[in-house]
Amino acid sequence: MKVTEHIAKAQGKTLFSFEIVPPKKGNSIEELYKNIEPLLEFKPPFIDVTTSREEFYYKEHSNGLLEKKIVRMRPGTVGICSAIQHKYNVDTVPHVLCGGFTREETEDLLVDCFYLGIDNIMALRGDAMKEEKYFRPTKNGNVYALDLVKQINDLRKGIYLHDTLENNTGMDFCIGVAGYPEKHIEAPSKTFDLEKLKEKVDNGADYVVTQMFFDNKQYFDFVEKARQMGINVPIIPGIKPISVKRHLNIIPQAFFLDFPEELVKEIEKCKNNNEVKQVGIEWAIAQSKELRQAGVPSLHYYSMGKSENIIQIISKVF
């Protein structure tokens, strides 16, 4: 079932969803199952599965020379989505990136999703590779998330990259895209960022999931301005519980967002990361309760494959 259908079926009731990360290559999927199974008791209608960029590594040869190679350390997104759907009968949303994939590879990946009965796609540009300061598009790949949305929307209409196909069956995907309450780090202004979001919606995006934020006012202002601009699809807030003190430095730098002063002070008072984790849980509970009271379509948690703190949060919210 599509994410938008789940939202419509809920008739105004706030849903619960979360996001997981594929295990590193060589690891078993069983650990992933152990982490998500406790969350399934709360009946999430859909689960997002992230996709990681490829990485560089250097192989040293016997002559001392280094050879630069590329590897994808967390493959398996589509396989995990299919496994979860068939094992638990829960809809999944694979993240599909521009970076690291040609348009041809993207089309083939989407065909796999279609054959496996995956109805939803989260269309993202993706980040720059770790060794690169700025995002560089893949040769013959989509440059922006908008381009990816257009490609998926074409497939919904049965328009493929090759026009020599005998039968052009459409793939009726539900397309999700990212929104940034405090703007994307590369956007020159919030208005510019919202205009780009509207382009994605106008070209086929069906719903929006926001980047994490820690001040609900940022979300409410974002939704209000989006509606004024004519963006009328569901906008799902993304919530991340703080769990370690170094998040105070890492998250603002990586995601271009601010922490409320009250949260900063509470975390600074913590003597260890166990105390930080509890502060993060309590803050996320307060955020979630206010957002649910406001009637948001779903509360989407960035769990990163860990379930303990998410369980404590949703048990107090739902």
Side-chain angles (χ1 to χ4, degrees), residues 54-72:
E54 69 276 31
E55 301 175 20
F56 288 125
Y57 76 99
Y58 293 89
K59 179 180 179 181
E60 185 173 358
H61 293 280
S62 57
N63 60 5
L65 293 178
L66 297 177
E67 181 184 3
K68 189 176 184 181
K69 288 182 167 287
I70 293 179
V71 63
R72 195 178 298 276

Side-chain angles (χ1 to χ4, degrees), residues 1-13 15 17 45-48 91-93 118-122 156 172-177 201 204-209 227 231-236 296-298:
M1 186 184 293
K2 297 177 180 178
V3 168
T4 49
E5 290 173 337
H6 282 296
I7 292 171
K9 186 179 177 182
Q11 297 182 326
K13 178 184 175 182
L15 302 174
S17 59
F46 57 92
I47 299 169
D48 278 43
D91 285 306
T92 53
V93 187
I118 295 169
D119 296 325
N120 305 285
I121 301 292
M122 175 60 65
R156 293 200 287 202
D172 192 20
F173 292 119
C174 177
I175 306 173
V177 293
V201 172
D206 299 296
Y207 70 99
V208 177
V209 179
R227 300 305 185 219
I231 300 171
N232 295 313
V233 299
I235 300 177
I236 298 172
V296 299
S298 183

